[in-house]
Amino acid sequence: MILAHLLRPALLTQKPPSLGCRSFWGWLNAVFNRVDHERIKDVGPDRAASEWLLRCGAKVRYTGFEKWQQDYNGLPTGPLGKYKIQAIDASESCIMYRGFDYLDGLEQLEEIKLYKCIYIEDACLQRISKIENLQQSLRRLEIITCGNVTDKGVISLASLRNLEYLFLSDLPAIKQRDVTMELLQKSNHSLRIELDLD
């Protein structure tokens, strides 16, 4: 676990000079995203998800707290008990689809920000939209500068029936903006959509 904390700053600040090095970082990111179902059972979904997110360079904020938790080693030991994840800021993190099973038990998650997440793709948004607890709890979602997100992924968000705010910016793979937004708005009339896609 300490290895993850030590390697994370280097991962976020260094550009790999060669294909071999890129392969190493890709492999390491995949390791950080591997789901440990036994760990989820042992410490609960919020603790396990916190560990996954912080390992990957994201931040979490807990219900009733204003401060963001971003230091892996600063997590309390054992199950988090009263600490329930309310918001995730995955800016420039390495979260990827294979880790999204960690989101399954998060019953109080209201906000997710995905900014410059190179591994976020349509399958990730489709996975978010199928998680029952997120269909109920998620209120705000921001997707910014995630080049692998297309209309298909955005349209899948229609099943997040309690979503109140969706911000989309710098998504070059969105090709049918008007049609996509119309479909989302029809599925959720109270959804406020803010766009910066030009």
Side-chain angles (χ1 to χ4, degrees):
M1 297 303 174
I2 293 173
L3 173 65
H5 178 69
L6 294 174
L7 289 175
R8 178 58 35 212
L11 179 61
L12 294 175
T13 59
Q14 292 181 359
K15 294 191 178 186
S18 69
L19 182 59
C21 195
R22 272 189 291 248
S23 297
F24 170 75
W25 289 117
W27 170 83
L28 187 60
N29 290 336
V31 169
F32 286 160
N33 279 276
R34 187 172 25 225
V35 178
D36 184 344
H37 294 285
E38 288 302 313
R39 183 72 177 155
I40 296 171
K41 285 180 193 172
D42 290 345
V43 299
D46 289 276
R47 169 73 191 214
S50 295
E51 292 174 352
W52 164 59
L53 290 160
L54 298 181
R55 213 173 32 238
C56 291
K59 300 184 284 191
V60 297
R61 193 179 72 236
Y62 300 107
T63 303
F65 293 84
E66 290 184 23
K67 186 180 176 188
W68 288 89
Q69 177 70 39
Q70 58 188 17
D71 179 7
Y72 185 95
N73 293 319
L75 284 171
T77 57
L80 291 181
K82 66 178 181 175
Y83 295 93
K84 302 294 182 187
I85 296 176
Q86 182 180 27
I88 295 170
D89 181 349
S91 295
E92 299 185 85
S93 71
C94 71
I95 64 168
M96 61 178 65
Y97 178 81
R98 72 183 301 185
F100 274 50
D101 282 0
Y102 281 113
L103 300 177
D104 281 340
L106 304 183
E107 297 177 350
Q108 296 185 31
L109 180 57
E110 296 180 0
E111 303 175 29
I112 299 175
K113 180 177 182 179
L114 303 170
Y115 170 66
K116 286 190 177 179
C117 298
I118 62 172
Y119 297 111
I120 294 299
E121 56 192 349
D122 292 343
C124 298
L125 301 185
Q126 291 165 340
R127 179 74 175 95
I128 287 172
S129 69
K130 290 177 182 171
I131 298 174
E132 282 188 45
N133 51 294
L134 294 186
Q135 290 175 351
Q136 299 297 321
S137 68
L138 199 61
R139 301 286 185 266
R140 295 178 57 89
L141 179 59
E142 298 180 27
I143 307 167
I144 307 158
T145 317
C146 295
N148 297 318
V149 171
T150 72
D151 298 271
K152 182 180 176 183
V154 174
I155 289 170
S156 73
L157 300 173
S159 58
L160 296 172
R161 47 190 174 266
N162 290 323
L163 196 63
E164 297 169 357
Y165 176 75
L166 176 63
F167 179 64
L168 303 172
S169 177
D170 189 23
L171 302 173
I174 301 282
K175 302 298 183 190
Q176 298 179 320
R177 183 181 83 168
D178 294 340
V179 173
T180 298
M181 295 313 114
E182 186 178 342
L183 286 168
L184 278 178
Q185 209 68 73
K186 279 184 180 177
S187 68
N188 183 350
H189 297 294
S190 62
L191 175 61
R192 183 165 70 93
I193 303 173
E194 193 174 336
L195 303 174
D196 182 15
L197 298 177
D198 297 325

